[in-house]
């Protein structure tokens, strides 16, 4: 290829007048994908990153034992760093994992220029970091009460890093460099899903020591891309890792993948890209303009541009088709609701007040205004696509101002008289979030409830949420794995914030007891029956009033190949290919 590049340089020099057209071919920029982040990131630590924005970066750099097959639906787990599927012994209580040999980490000064390969103890370090209180790991819930001795480790280590290092976790045994076993206190069929998450990505202890357990702005992973630079307000640059092991593009897929030509790269070595440039663009309008100028290669259609992009029948507009733009409609595993803090002295103690608010919100209007009717009105807390979802479940409320006023009266605040302030917190400070808060405010004024709106940036919102300091807000969840258990854990007592992810601070012993039963059951009638009972229990208490399920309308330029948006597969950049344009 060298002769070709010499000729190309000559050719470009000769055609000095049109040099701009050669620039793309000459400087290698063409093979860097222009991607998008909708907010700035507050951490790149895989133990702490638990939102879609930071996850988009984290999953390109860090890898876990398992991953989801890119082209198969329903979602199927396959080996990533694991050499094989685990051996399960002792009636589902012991898992033995084997790791591929010779997988190198990205460079770091602590390695002194020598290769550092993944070994079993690096997974112990990752799991210990989840249990170690100062890390504030967001994935501890995956192992708490399940891995033998993990609670004891958490308690005994306290916030002492020396103890973090020296104390064992009883249920985690390093058998040799490539093998470890995990002993559980009870069967946990979802364990493998946990090992497909960045929470369990291996990390060398010496890196953690070097950075005193703060790796929020450095990344030492094994993935196809490494962190080149991070400018907090502007962009994140990832570069192809030259020593990435031999991984091939998949050679099989489902009907959709086969039909849309996503198999043409079958069996080629990945990644195809030289790098990824993540542009941080908070507002939808600039995103759209940059996409149209080909400064971003793909995006989810912003609400305000929906009418331009999509015809009345839900197909791509002729103008965009002409430009070689492609539309992909993807069902998602994301659900949105209105959330109440159940420990709050005003909204938490008064179910009639919560019912009044739920009846006062016109969810169809919300879906129309803020999703262009792409959102699907939520009939259940479970999203379609979750085993056990039932289309016949209904919400215990509907939009009806008379009923809402009635409940407000029952709550003791007829026409809103004597009602203390209720604060609605926004998730970010962008225009759409502000419009949503205005919508809720206007809707509730109809029944005499005056909302106070508190505007947050995203890190600020996450901070309040992690500490259980919200009153009324729009809650949402994207399933980490396709199982009802993953959603229900947001409502169990032991996961109450600030320790866990139950930011609604909901607590009901009946719900907790059902959860204990549910979480050891495989998919099937018995499990689905318990899911139904849990939903009824929660609806009776109403910590959440359901809004809608997200459906993704995504666009990409024709020169971006193999793009398949999905809620579960985060490490998709290694499959993408750019054609010269």
């Amino acid at each position: 290829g060298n002769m070709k590049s010499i000729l190309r340089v000559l050719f470009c020099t000769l055609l000095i007048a049109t040099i701009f057209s050669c620039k793309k071919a000459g400087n290698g920029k063409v093979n860097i994908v222009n991607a998008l982040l909708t907010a700035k990131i507050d951490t790149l630590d895989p133990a702490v990153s638990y939102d879609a924005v930071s996850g988009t970066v984290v999953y390109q750099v860090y890898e876990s034992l398992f991953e989801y097959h890119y082209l198969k639906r329903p979602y199927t787990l396959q080996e990533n760093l694991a050499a094989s599927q685990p051996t399960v012994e002792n009636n589902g209580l012991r898992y033995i994992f084997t790791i591929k040999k010779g997988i190198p980490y990205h460079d770091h000064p602590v390695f002194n220029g020598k290769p550092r390969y993944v070994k079993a103890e690096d997974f112990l370090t990752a799991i210990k970091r989840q249990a170690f209180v100062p890390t504030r790991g967001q994935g501890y819930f995956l192992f708490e009460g399940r891995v033998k001795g993990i609670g004891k480790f958490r308690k005994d280590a306290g916030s002492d890093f020396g103890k973090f290092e020296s104390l064992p976790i009883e249920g985690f045994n390093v058998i040799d460099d490539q093998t470890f076993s995990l002993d559980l206190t009870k069967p946990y069929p979802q364990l493998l899903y946990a090992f497909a998450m960045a929470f369990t990505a291996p990390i060398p202890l010496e890196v953690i020591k070097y950075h005193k357990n703060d790796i929020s702005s450095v990344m030492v992973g094994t993935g196809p891309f490494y962190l080149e630079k991070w400018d907090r307000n502007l962009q994140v640059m990832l570069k192809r890792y030259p020593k990435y092991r031999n991984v091939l593009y998949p050679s099989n897929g489902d009907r959709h993948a086969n039909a849309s030509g996503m198999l043409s790269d079958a069996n080629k070595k990945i990644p195809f890209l030289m790098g990824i440039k993540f542009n941080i663009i908070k507002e939808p309008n600039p995103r759209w303009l940059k996409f149209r100028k080909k400064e971003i290669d793909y995006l989810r259609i912003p609400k305000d541009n929906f009418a331009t992009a999509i015809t009345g029948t839900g197909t791509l507009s002729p103008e965009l088709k002409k430009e070689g733009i492609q539309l992909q409609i993807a069902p998602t595993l994301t659900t949105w609701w209105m959330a109440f803090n159940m420990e709050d002295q005003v909204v938490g103690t008064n179910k009639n007040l919560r019912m009044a608010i739920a009846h006062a919100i016109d969810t169809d209007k919300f879906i129309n205004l803020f999703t262009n009717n792409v959102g699907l009105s939520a009939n259940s807390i479970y999203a379609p696509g979750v085993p056990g979802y039932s289309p016949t479940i209904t919400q215990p409320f509907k939009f009806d101002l008379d009923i809402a006023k009635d409940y407000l009266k029952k709550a003791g605040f007829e026409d809103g008289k004597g009602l203390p302030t209720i604060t609605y917190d926004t998730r970010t400070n962008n225009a759409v979030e502000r419009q949503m808060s205005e919508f809720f405010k206007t809707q509730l004024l109809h029944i005499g409830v005056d909302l106070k709106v508190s505007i947050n940036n995203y890190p600020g919102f996450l901070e309040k949420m992690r500490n259980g300091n919200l009153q009324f807000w729009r809650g949402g969840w994207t399933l980490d794995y396709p199982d009802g258990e993953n959603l229900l854990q947001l409502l169990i007592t032991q996961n109450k914030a600030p320790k866990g992810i139950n930011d609604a601070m909901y607590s009901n012993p009946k719900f907790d007891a059902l959860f204990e039963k549910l979480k050891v059951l495989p998919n099937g009638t018995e499990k689905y029956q318990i899911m139904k009972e849990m939903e009824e229990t929660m609806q009776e208490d109403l910590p959440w009033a359901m809004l809608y399920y997200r459906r993704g309308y995504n666009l990409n330029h024709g020169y971006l190949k193999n793009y398949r948006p999905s809620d579960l597969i985060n490490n998709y950049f290694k499959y993408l290919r750019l054609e010269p344009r």
Side-chain angles (χ1 to χ4, degrees):
N2 199 28
M3 191 61 208
K4 263 197 189 131
S5 56
I6 291 169
L7 283 173
R8 188 186 288 141
V9 170
L10 275 172
F11 184 61
C12 281
T13 327
L14 287 170
L15 294 176
I16 204 98
T18 54
I19 193 138
F20 60 87
S21 68
C22 297
K23 217 169 81 193
K24 285 201 176 89
N27 65 9
K29 279 257 170 40
V30 73
N31 203 14
I32 292 174
V33 80
N34 275 301
L36 179 65
L37 299 173
T38 55
K40 66 179 196 191
I41 292 175
D42 58 342
T43 179
L44 290 171
D45 182 341
V48 187
S49 152
Y50 207 15
D51 60 276
V53 180
S54 55
T56 309
V57 177
V58 165
Y59 277 87
Q60 316 321 318
V61 176
Y62 288 100
E63 296 181 299
S64 321
L65 284 170
F66 300 95
E67 63 182 348
Y68 293 95
H69 189 293
Y70 189 50
L71 300 181
K72 283 188 187 167
R73 301 290 181 278
Y75 294 103
T76 318
L77 281 178
Q78 63 180 17
E79 295 87 41
N80 192 3
L81 295 178
S84 58
Q85 291 292 316
T87 311
V88 186
E89 298 178 349
N90 195 5
N91 297 320
L93 293 181
R94 165 170 286 186
Y95 285 73
I96 300 167
F97 294 101
T98 328
I99 309 153
K100 288 172 181 153
K101 281 199 172 82
I103 290 179
Y105 284 100
H106 304 154
D107 301 337
H108 185 279
V110 80
F111 304 147
N112 296 318
K114 295 188 191 71
R116 166 69 159 86
Y117 298 110
V118 176
K119 40 187 195 197
E121 66 184 44
D122 304 339
F123 290 90
L124 175 58
T125 302
I127 290 172
K128 275 185 174 182
R129 289 191 75 232
Q130 289 299 344
F132 188 50
V133 178
T135 309
R136 298 185 63 176
Q138 296 295 302
Y140 182 55
F141 70 91
L142 293 162
F143 306 105
E144 184 179 17
R146 291 169 177 152
V147 171
K148 245 194 186 151
I150 198 161
K152 186 178 184 336
F153 169 83
R154 185 178 173 94
K155 206 168 100 253
D156 295 350
S159 51
D160 178 339
F161 192 77
K163 289 184 173 161
F164 167 90
E165 214 181 323
S166 61
L167 291 174
I169 290 176
E170 186 198 341
F172 192 113
N173 286 296
V174 174
I175 297 167
D176 58 45
D177 274 356
Q178 305 317 124
T179 327
F180 69 90
S181 66
L182 211 54
D183 288 314
L184 306 176
T185 53
K186 46 185 170 261
Y188 177 34
Q190 294 83 13
L191 181 70
L192 284 202
Y193 295 129
F195 280 102
M197 297 168 76
F199 290 148
T200 55
I203 189 100
L205 180 63
E206 61 270 37
V207 170
I208 296 304
K209 280 168 76 172
Y210 183 95
H211 291 285
K212 302 189 169 58
N213 199 32
D214 177 6
I215 54 166
S216 57
S217 54
V218 286
M219 300 180 92
V220 184
T222 59
F225 301 98
Y226 67 92
L227 178 64
E228 188 185 20
K229 77 176 209 274
W230 177 22
D231 174 340
R232 269 172 201 264
N233 293 309
L234 215 62
Q235 64 182 50
V236 184
M237 288 290 298
L238 301 184
K239 214 162 176 189
R240 180 198 291 177
Y241 179 45
K243 299 190 201 108
Y244 191 59
R245 65 189 176 281
N246 196 34
V247 180
L248 305 180
Y249 188 87
S251 58
N252 52 356
D254 64 20
R255 275 207 328 266
H256 173 77
N258 297 356
S260 57
M262 286 189 180
L263 284 174
S264 60
D265 282 320
N267 298 318
K268 291 181 187 160
K269 185 173 173 2
I270 56 175
F272 301 123
L273 302 170
M274 279 312 296
I276 308 164
K277 180 182 176 184
F278 289 104
N279 306 278
I280 299 168
I281 309 169
K282 295 181 188 174
E283 292 295 339
N285 198 38
R287 275 178 226 154
W288 177 251
L289 295 172
K290 281 185 185 297
F291 174 72
R292 293 299 300 273
K293 288 201 265 182
K294 301 190 162 117
E295 289 169 21
I296 289 170
D297 297 328
Y298 66 88
L299 93 166
R300 185 186 311 154
I301 305 175
K303 159 179 144 337
D304 291 345
N305 308 104
F306 206 85
T308 329
I310 302 297
T311 65
T313 55
T315 58
L316 191 63
S317 80
E319 188 195 346
L320 296 189
K321 255 196 196 128
K322 260 213 288 289
E323 288 178 27
I325 288 170
Q326 294 164 348
L327 165 69
Q328 304 204 39
I329 304 172
T332 72
L333 293 170
T334 301
T335 311
W336 291 99
W337 54 81
M338 295 174 281
F340 301 100
N341 183 338
M342 297 299 278
E343 284 184 357
D344 180 78
Q345 289 313 299
V346 184
V347 296
T349 52
N350 194 326
K351 188 195 169 186
N352 286 322
L353 175 59
R354 295 194 296 279
M355 286 295 271
I357 291 173
H359 280 84
I361 304 290
D362 185 345
T363 51
D364 288 341
K365 192 171 172 187
F366 181 93
I367 290 168
N368 179 15
L369 282 173
F370 297 108
T371 80
N372 281 89
N373 290 328
V374 169
L376 192 62
S377 186
N379 68 301
S380 161
I381 63 175
Y382 311 112
V386 174
Y389 162 81
S390 159
T392 58
I393 295 258
T394 52
Q395 294 297 309
F397 59 88
K398 59 181 192 307
F399 172 56
D400 186 319
L401 290 177
D402 293 333
I403 298 178
K405 285 174 179 162
D406 237 29
Y407 271 115
L408 194 58
K409 190 175 170 178
K410 275 190 204 144
F413 307 111
E414 190 171 359
D415 299 326
K417 284 191 193 68
L419 178 65
T421 312
I422 296 174
T423 302
Y424 174 87
D425 272 277
T426 67
R427 298 178 71 88
T428 69
N429 52 10
N430 72 26
V432 177
E433 280 286 337
R434 287 167 187 265
Q435 287 158 12
M436 281 181 188
S437 65
E438 285 308 311
F439 173 83
F440 287 128
K441 191 176 167 70
T442 310
Q443 294 272 291
L444 289 175
L445 271 177
H446 292 153
I447 61 167
V449 172
D450 192 8
L451 265 199
K452 176 174 171 278
V453 173
S454 170
I455 306 272
N456 303 293
N457 64 16
Y458 194 49
F461 172 78
L462 288 178
E463 184 66 23
K464 283 184 186 174
M465 188 171 86
R466 284 176 192 147
N467 290 314
N469 290 341
L470 298 165
Q471 190 177 22
F472 173 51
W473 68 103
R474 192 173 56 101
W477 188 253
T478 297
L479 290 186
D480 303 298
Y481 42 85
D483 192 312
E485 177 265 348
N486 186 245
L487 182 90
L488 295 166
Q489 46 138 9
L490 296 179
L491 291 168
I492 58 171
T493 306
Q494 73 179 50
N495 278 346
K496 277 197 331 197
K499 207 182 76 167
I501 47 181
N502 174 356
D503 44 58
M505 313 299 273
Y506 176 61
S507 176
N508 179 326
K510 182 186 172 191
F511 188 91
D512 293 344
L514 286 167
F515 186 78
E516 287 307 306
K517 272 195 209 158
L518 169 108
K519 67 185 189 187
V520 299
L521 289 173
N523 284 338
T525 323
E526 191 186 350
K527 178 172 169 178
Y528 304 153
Q529 185 51 42
I530 291 178
M531 281 169 66
K532 186 169 177 261
E533 272 180 71
M534 290 180 77
E535 170 150 29
E536 285 161 3
T537 307
M538 169 272 191
Q539 294 288 23
E540 182 55 42
D541 296 331
L542 209 72
W544 297 347
M546 303 310 294
L547 280 168
Y548 70 97
Y549 309 118
R550 189 170 78 70
R551 278 183 298 197
Y553 273 61
N554 301 279
L555 300 178
N556 61 277
H557 288 292
Y559 55 76
L560 177 67
K561 299 298 179 191
N562 307 332
Y563 173 58
R564 189 179 203 188
S566 124
D567 268 355
L568 268 189
I569 300 177
N570 297 302
N571 62 344
Y572 57 90
F573 282 88
K574 62 183 178 183
Y575 303 109
L576 301 182
R577 186 165 56 74
L578 280 173
E579 290 192 337
R581 46 179 173 121

